[in-house]
Amino acid sequence: MQISLMVNGVSVETTVLPHVLLVDMLRDTCGLTGAKVGCGTGQCGTCVVQLGDRSVKGCQVLAVQADGAEVTTVEGVANGELTPLQQALWEEHGVQCGFCTPGMVMALTDLLEHEPAPDEQAIRAGIAGNMCRCTGYGGVLRAVRKVVGGKP
Amino acid sequence: MTAFGADLKDREVPGMLRGATAFTADISLPRMLHLAFVRSEHGHARIDSIDTAQAAAMPGVVTVVTQEDLAGALMPMPCIWIPGGVESHFPPHPYGVPGAGTVLADGVVRFIGEPVAAVVAETVEQADEAARAVVVGYTPLPAVTEPQAALADGAPQLHEAVPNNLNALWTCGNAEAADAAIAAAEVVVELDLYNQRTINNPMEPRAAIGDYDPITEEYTLYATTQSPHNHRFLLSALVLGIPFNKLRVIAPPIGGSFGTKGYLYPDMPLVLHLAHKLGRPVRWADTREGLMRSTVQGRDHRQHITLAGTRDGRITGLRCTSYANLGAYPSTIGPGVATALMGRSITGPYEIASAFCEVHAVFTNTVPLGAQRGSGRAEATMITERVIDLYAREIGADPADVRLRNMVPPDRFPYDNGLGWTYDSGDYPAALRRALELAGYHKAEVLRREARERGKLLGIGVGSFVAICGVGPSTRMQAEGMLGGTWESANIRVHPNGEVAVTIGSTSTGQSHTTTFAQIAADELGIDPAAIVVTQADTRKAPYGQGTYGSRSYSVGGPAVAIAARQVIAKMRTAAAHFMGVSEDLIEYADGTFTVQGKEDAAKSFQDMAMALWYGWSLPPGMEPTVDVTTFFDPPDFNYPFGSHVAVVEIDENTGQVEVVDYAAVHDVGPVGNPMVVTGQFEGSIVHGLGQALMEQARYDATGALLSADLTTYAMPRAHDLPPLELDRTVTPSPHNPLGVKGAGEIATVPVTAAVANAVCDALRELGVRHIDMPFTPEKIWRAINEAKG
Amino acid sequence: MERLEYTAPSSLDDALEALHANPGARPLAGGHSLILDLKSRVRRVPLLVDLGRLAELRGVRRRPRGELEIGSMTTITELVADPLVRQSHVHGLLSDAAATLPDAQVRNRGTIGGAVLAGTDVAAALIVLDAETHIRSRDGRHRRISVEDLLDPATPGLAPDEVITAVGVSAATASGAHERQPEPATLTSLCGVAVSVTFRADGAIDTCKVAVCGGRTPARRLPALERAMTAIPERATGLPLDDVFESDDVASGEYRAHLALVLAKRAVARARDRAI
């Protein structure tokens, strides 16, 4: 099936079979390997990307469903620089092995775009769908608090 | 200089934040093929037939292989850690070392997920579809999944050469003395405990890519391995039978491991063999479901412990029997982990005169057992800390007081625990007192009443520990039965302008090595860490190393960097004295500058000396040009980080829900090179431990089917599960390395289950509950409350 | 995932035609259960009819009698943020129920129509709100059926060529709340309880509707629990609920039944707080 979409601001026209998942198309066709396939069942959140103006799990959406849409992956959230969120994740050591990081960044980017001043509960709820096995979430939460309130 | 001890940001992180970091499964080589496994659907079955014809004819399929095709080409896998002094019954490898399984199943499958065949195709999807089309004819055999059942008469037998499925009966300590202490004791307390099987589940599943160059005849393996050098040796010599020089192993950035990626797995030799055979690169990337039924699992001990003590709180003896569930085959170092790391650790931080531990290491129809963050030590700490709480209740004493009373006092080091460990240094009571203070332990009764008013049952629990880390002295590990040295290495090369390349033998799996090792080098060399680049994880580029496990990279590899740096400065000092025309003992080196005592105008910078040695003009007689130093550090003994945790839990009596409302943890890992990184290790370790305490469990049914087979059925902690953490450190250097550092990567997992279990049982004590096994799921707690209430 | 066909019609009629003309075809909404089933191959679907391009199925409208009509493809995120819903008495209960979905990504993609058919917490909330589904099939045929009846295993349910186009929620003014106990792996509810309560002037409970979910049986009302809550909720103990919930790998029916009572009391207490 022929689809055309914008990925990170770049127009992509490609042919894709209907059963192909969005995350697989991004990785295999677009060469954007930031989004990962960590579980396949929707629990881990390593595949989170933005579809339109909201984050979705790239393993729960078909590529054909993104026809005509704008997709943003972790490679496209910042142009060269790091966003304040990414900067804070670096400064607060919210990243260890880095495998969950792309999904974490995309989920939090969505949260902060729509709720610029989330409280602690909202921050945690914002990454309820993102698993991290390294940090225990401490550094991630400090980073978001820093972006929101200036203090980790 | 103050790089050591500074919260430097991890250099690797910006790439990760941008999605630019290529993990193994993100790598694409030209003309790459894809491999998929056909895995056993049975816990135990005879393979009657494997029909590959239909699969082989499917679109894009290049080849389908079974063990029959590999016989003669690939040897079985080795096991390199059968605990010292015991006989392993598993058939040895052809080269006489202990054996493990064949690469693909050979006539019988013994666990669900065991690879039976492999399909190679042009795309992942084609390989997966064809793997589904391979028809395997099985005759199911009776299965056994519990070690005690596997030892019983008439139990299904997994391996002909292993009667009663008993791979080894391993012991340590003095049985007679322990029994005598128990017989003579004023108080005897016993406990049965199941430390449930867990799945480490790093977020990145394993992956491997094999490549072969027919011109140079060189193989390259890209793999999620935390031991690239060691795996190069084992794969080339013992599995593929190819020259060492013809295998290069590269560990791309690794997405977490926690012990699981230090093992040899069938995919590694297979992608190499098939890349050679097919003349194209072959890639395999696991799925979560695949990981859960084939990557080594952790814990799984059924333990019985007997504690002997006096009425006034002195522990006099300890005897523990454990049945360790090894799974279906010996994993690369699994049998050693399940025995020595657990058994020698049961006295914890306490001075106990008579102790004995025996471990029955048993094969069952489950996924092979390996390491899990804090392995062995966590299982030992759990049972000992639980029985100490029961002992304290029995004699009407406070559990913290009993611990303080029995801890090895600070003036007793080095301390031989009687089971094989010699603790290096520490003030164990100080760390416990600090943890009690942080948690407000003295206010427990006030908190308990206040919670009661809100309808909650509050409990407070302590977990104290000491954890052997920094594996280890090679000769000592030889005695433990490990086949291989356990040193680490570093190379420091000084560039002409004074910038520095540090290359290390160990490999990060998320612990910020390229930053923290630069900090060590920077301080020792007296230069800015920004002028230092650290390289790791490629056997062609890096000096030999044994791998990242047992919290050893920083405490064994770190000192290697320091020693190499000291040799760099020593050489520069000799050259500087020569150039400045003074005796070497008059040279001082500080902040990047060599100066001469009493001669204020004479000075040579680190950069001056780098350039001078690069040119090599007029060097001291006999001195070689340039500075390029490689060192190997083999520590004189292990190191023993320690600490205490205090958990405060509240239980909703109506639902059984356990909430950890406060958590204090005090660790001593010696001097800390990067506190931010180490705090991250502690936090991650604690939450990992909370996962086991509260929700994680790998469950099998009687046929060996895995019931918790993906992340919809195996729960792990999420952000809302992180309790308020209060962390602190004490600092006692280890005498066993020049930096005084101790392992830090996994130790904070060790006491978590004990602290939480003690807190939960404390909360339920007033209802008459004595002990509950993990995980503390709401329904289990609710039932315990109901039963206690009658 | 097995190969399949896909179409994304731009009109509801085309979608209904496609469903009718292709046996086995399934409508695709948020996809969280359907795509997962396809991946694990527990379901085979030759044709997916994506409803995602049907603008007419999105958004919330107010009907003349004050009824809210929620387009079936309205996402859960859109639903709780919608101004009409926010101003309505149903907002508290629907927000509670929406928050039970596992994470933001599921709320962003998951739809109210999908949530009805999933039969979990959101459906339980809609049941106590007496919500009605508007269902269309080919040739302009349509019917309305309450969420409660639609999910009742004794009724035929949704036919393969039918599509829920909207969910209607009446303008009643009861106070509602939802409580649940999540299961840690999937963050779905072991047991969820939605209540809708009206209070008399003296604060006593006048009417109380209770719907429960958890386990494989879809959300449904529990009259025994409703009677108990309408009496003196604090005193309700040991209700005959043992056979109401099934046991599975995650929890026993007995525990779920116990939770239902505990959670119902809590939900009623919260509904009371909201009513004040």
Side-chain angles (χ1 to χ4, degrees), chain A residues 1 17-19 21 40-43 48 51 54-57 59-62 64-65 67 107 110 128-130, chain C residues 1-6 28-32 35-36 39 48 50 53 77 102-103 105 107-109 185-187:
Chain A
M1 210 183 137
L17 289 165
H19 70 291
L21 299 167
T41 51
Q43 270 67 46
V48 172
L51 178 60
R54 283 290 184 173
S55 60
V56 300
K57 289 189 170 146
C59 80
Q60 306 278 67
V61 177
L62 301 174
V64 289
Q65 291 181 280
D67 186 18
D110 182 10
N130 297 83
Chain C
M1 195 190 291
E2 279 180 86
R3 296 194 176 190
L4 42 73
E5 297 296 318
Y6 169 90
L28 175 63
H32 287 111
I35 290 178
L36 206 57
K39 284 206 274 189
L48 287 175
D50 188 354
R53 319 235 162 224
T77 299
D103 54 56
Q105 290 73 41
R107 287 188 290 276
N108 287 343
R109 194 86 193 142
T186 58
L187 301 182

Side-chain angles (χ1 to χ4, degrees), chain B residues 100 160 169 177 223 272 284 335 657 726:
Chain B
E160 219 170 276
L169 172 56
L272 290 167
W284 168 79
Q657 182 76 41
E726 293 169 87

Side-chain angles (χ1 to χ4, degrees), chain A residues 34-52:
Chain A
K36 314 295 183 200
V37 182
C39 72
T41 51
Q43 270 67 46
C44 82
T46 58
C47 63
V48 172
V49 297
Q50 208 137 336
L51 178 60

